[in-house]
Every structure is written in C-alpha cells, then in structure tokens.
Amino acid sequence: MNIGIASKKSGLPSKTIRYYEDIELLKPARAENGYRDYSLEDVHSLTFLQRARNLGFTVEECRLLLSLYNDKNRSSSEVKSLALHKVATIEKKIAELSAMKKMLTSLAKNCHGDNRPDCPILDEIAGETEKV
Amino acid sequence: MNIGIASKKSGLPSKTIRYYEDIELLKPARAENGYRDYSLEDVHSLTFLQRARNLGFTVEECRLLLSLYNDKNRSSSEVKSLALHKVATIEKKIAELSAMKKMLTSLAKNCHGDNRPDCPILDEIAGETEKV
DNA sequence: ATTGACCTTCCATCTACTGGAAGCTTTATT
DNA sequence: AATAAAGCTTCCAGTAGATGGAAGGTCAAT
C-alpha cells in the first residue's frame, strides 16, 4: 500500500514515515513506479513506533524495541532485559504523571478567581525541594 | 545562590537553566560579579519546569503552567482551564503508558531465548490496527 | 601566586521532526 | 483525449529544545 494509507493506518505523518526510512528504522518495498509499498507488517511496526515515540521512547530505544517486536524468535535475552528495564521506566513515569496530575488538580481547585495569598501546595513543594 | 547549586537542587543541567533564561522562562537576579543569583522561589520554579518537561509538556505549555504555579492570586480561570485540560491529557498519557507497559511485559514474558514462531501479542496488535 | 572549580558569553551541533519547492504518476472530470 | 487534482518522489531549509565546546573572567584553597 502507498504511504498515505500507511500514514492513516499507523497515525504517523507521511513525512515522519519517510524520515524513519532515512534513518533506517523501517525500509519498505518499492513498487514499479518508485512509490513506497508498505505491507501490513510494516504498518504494525509503524503503529508500534507511533506509540513508543508518543510514550517518550527515543528513536534509538525504538530501534531496539522494534527489533524485539519484530523478531519472531525473540531469542535475545539482552533485548528482553531492555524491555523489562523500560517497564521500570514506564512505572516511574506513571508515578510522576500521577503526582503531576494531583498537583495540577489541587492548583486548579485553589484557583477561584479571587485573591488567596497563601497556597498549601506551593509550600508543600517548597518543602520537598529543600533536600540537597 | 549560584547556578551550580540551583542545578543540583532542581535537577536541571546548568546549560538548560541558561537556555530557559534565553527564552525568557525564568530570569534570575544577577550578583555584583555578573553571576546568576537564584532565589529559593526560582529553584522551585526550575524544579517545576524539570518535572513538567520530563512529563512531556512543551516549553510553551510550561510557560503557562509556570504562570499558574507562580501566580499567588491564581485569578485567571483561563489558566485554570488549561490546568484541567492538562489533567485530562495526563490521564490519557497514563492510560497509554499502562497499555505500553502491559505490552512490553507480555513481550518480555514470551522471550525465553528459544524459538517460538508464533506470538499471541503480535496477533492481537495486528488485529487492532486493521480498522481504517 | 597559581591551581582548579566555577562562572560568563557565543557559536556550533544534535535529535526528531516539519515545511516547502520542483517535478513525476495516477485518478477523476470534462 | 485533455486536463486538473491528488498523491507520490527527492532534496534542502527550518524548527524545538536542548547540549557541547571554546575562550575567558572569578573565586576559594593550597
């Protein structure tokens, strides 16, 4: 299939897909007319990339994750440990996001449009940063 | 305090702190000798920036969040709605990360180092991407 | 007084795209 | 059949958000 369809299916802009080819993340077949020709498998990889990038993995990390994702044999324990390491990273990120969510929610709650000079949340954060 | 201390307290590299000054996110006072002089409040803002950037907010979003964070009066309901909007974004991101974590965990679990040709997770993902 | 750590500015480089020009191919419309 | 619009190609430039290094000033300790 052409790049436009692959783009819609994967959620990645065509530009980005071409860029990923440039940096050798994913090399599609070429049709007779020179157009890129994406297989369903390619689209799955692109979708995987879209998600992984969106979740904050670097392109180089994606390259490794993709090899885990694509390797039918999955014989490398090295790649397995990368995956587990990333799981830990994700857990940490989830925890941070939860903290951020809590903080923003509190900040918004205290934002009534009137003048309230003191803010317990600020004080709390201030207290946390003292250690060093 | 000097930039090195502010860096350690906030978790941001000095380079990045100077860059944030360049783009007018945070303007510290200057000591007599020309050195940047950060207050505790500055450090709290820097820590806030460190977290927010780490969680995927753009610098421009950070600029707004920071104004919410720093505005003692918090009188703007516009900024409040931004915060609530961001809370929704965070929730979505948490959901995505959870999905990614689940996926990576499954992938890792099926990675024994031996040869297993079929992978139920891959099939599952493949099934999901068919729609379009 | 000099060594080393720390600070300054400035300019170059990097990652990961994104936009646009110039031009070929395919599809739809007249 | 002709033409216009849509979609593809490559190539080159620009963006965001840092990051690295040079050249040089400052400060604290030996």
Side-chain angles (χ1 to χ4, degrees), chain A residues 15-16 19-20 33 53 59:
Chain A
K15 280 275 184 186
T16 304
Y19 171 70
Y20 285 169
N33 59 10
R53 286 293 298 124
V59 165

Side-chain angles (χ1 to χ4, degrees), chain A residues 10-30:
Chain A
S10 67
L12 285 170
S14 304
K15 280 275 184 186
T16 304
I17 298 178
R18 290 197 197 94
Y19 171 70
Y20 285 169
E21 185 176 350
D22 259 30
I23 62 171
E24 303 194 353
L25 261 188
L26 191 115
K27 286 204 169 183
R30 290 283 176 149

Side-chain angles (χ1 to χ4, degrees), chain A residues 48-87:
Chain A
F48 184 92
L49 286 171
Q50 192 276 322
R51 288 185 195 173
R53 286 293 298 124
N54 192 28
L55 297 177
F57 292 97
T58 68
V59 165
E60 285 319 304
E61 283 170 344
C62 285
R63 200 186 294 278
L64 278 157
L65 290 174
L66 196 59
S67 79
L68 170 66
Y69 175 80
N70 277 332
D71 181 4
K72 296 285 188 297
N73 297 328
R74 276 177 201 76
S75 50
S76 164
S77 65
E78 182 196 3
V79 185
K80 175 177 180 169
S81 81
L82 171 82
L84 290 176
H85 178 75
K86 275 298 140 194
V87 167

Side-chain angles (χ1 to χ4, degrees), chain A:
Chain A
M1 81 190 74
N2 282 354
I3 198 170
I5 310 296
S7 167
K8 266 177 203 147
K9 288 204 183 198
S10 67
L12 285 170
S14 304
K15 280 275 184 186
T16 304
I17 298 178
R18 290 197 197 94
Y19 171 70
Y20 285 169
E21 185 176 350
D22 259 30
I23 62 171
E24 303 194 353
L25 261 188
L26 191 115
K27 286 204 169 183
R30 290 283 176 149
E32 298 252 304
N33 59 10
Y35 283 19
R36 287 167 181 83
D37 185 16
Y38 293 90
S39 67
L40 276 179
E41 209 171 324
D42 288 338
V43 170
H44 302 153
S45 293
L46 288 172
T47 306
F48 184 92
L49 286 171
Q50 192 276 322
R51 288 185 195 173
R53 286 293 298 124
N54 192 28
L55 297 177
F57 292 97
T58 68
V59 165
E60 285 319 304
E61 283 170 344
C62 285
R63 200 186 294 278
L64 278 157
L65 290 174
L66 196 59
S67 79
L68 170 66
Y69 175 80
N70 277 332
D71 181 4
K72 296 285 188 297
N73 297 328
R74 276 177 201 76
S75 50
S76 164
S77 65
E78 182 196 3
V79 185
K80 175 177 180 169
S81 81
L82 171 82
L84 290 176
H85 178 75
K86 275 298 140 194
V87 167
T89 307
I90 287 173
E91 276 165 357
K92 198 181 155 200
K93 216 154 204 169
I94 288 174
E96 286 175 334
L97 280 170
S98 300
M100 195 71 169
K101 176 185 159 185
K102 195 177 153 190
M103 188 165 132
L104 281 176
T105 307
S106 300
L107 282 167
K109 207 183 291 170
N110 286 12
C111 173
H112 291 281
D114 55 10
N115 281 9
R116 305 195 175 192
D118 50 272
C119 173
I121 298 133
L122 276 180
D123 300 340
E124 190 191 314
I125 297 159
E128 278 174 38
T129 51
E130 286 321 303
K131 50 191 169 191
V132 158

Side-chain angles (χ1 to χ4, degrees), chain A residues 99-114 116-123 125, chain B residues 25-26 41 44-45 48-49 52 57 59-87 90:
Chain A
M100 195 71 169
K101 176 185 159 185
K102 195 177 153 190
M103 188 165 132
L104 281 176
T105 307
S106 300
L107 282 167
K109 207 183 291 170
N110 286 12
C111 173
H112 291 281
D114 55 10
R116 305 195 175 192
D118 50 272
C119 173
I121 298 133
L122 276 180
D123 300 340
I125 297 159
Chain B
L25 261 188
L26 191 114
E41 208 172 323
H44 301 154
S45 292
F48 184 92
L49 284 171
F57 293 98
V59 165
E60 287 318 305
E61 284 170 343
C62 287
R63 200 185 294 277
L64 277 156
L65 290 174
L66 196 61
S67 79
L68 171 66
Y69 175 80
N70 278 332
D71 181 4
K72 297 285 187 301
N73 296 328
R74 274 173 205 79
S75 50
S76 165
S77 66
E78 182 195 3
V79 185
K80 175 178 179 171
S81 81
L82 170 82
L84 290 175
H85 178 74
K86 276 298 140 193
V87 167
I90 286 174

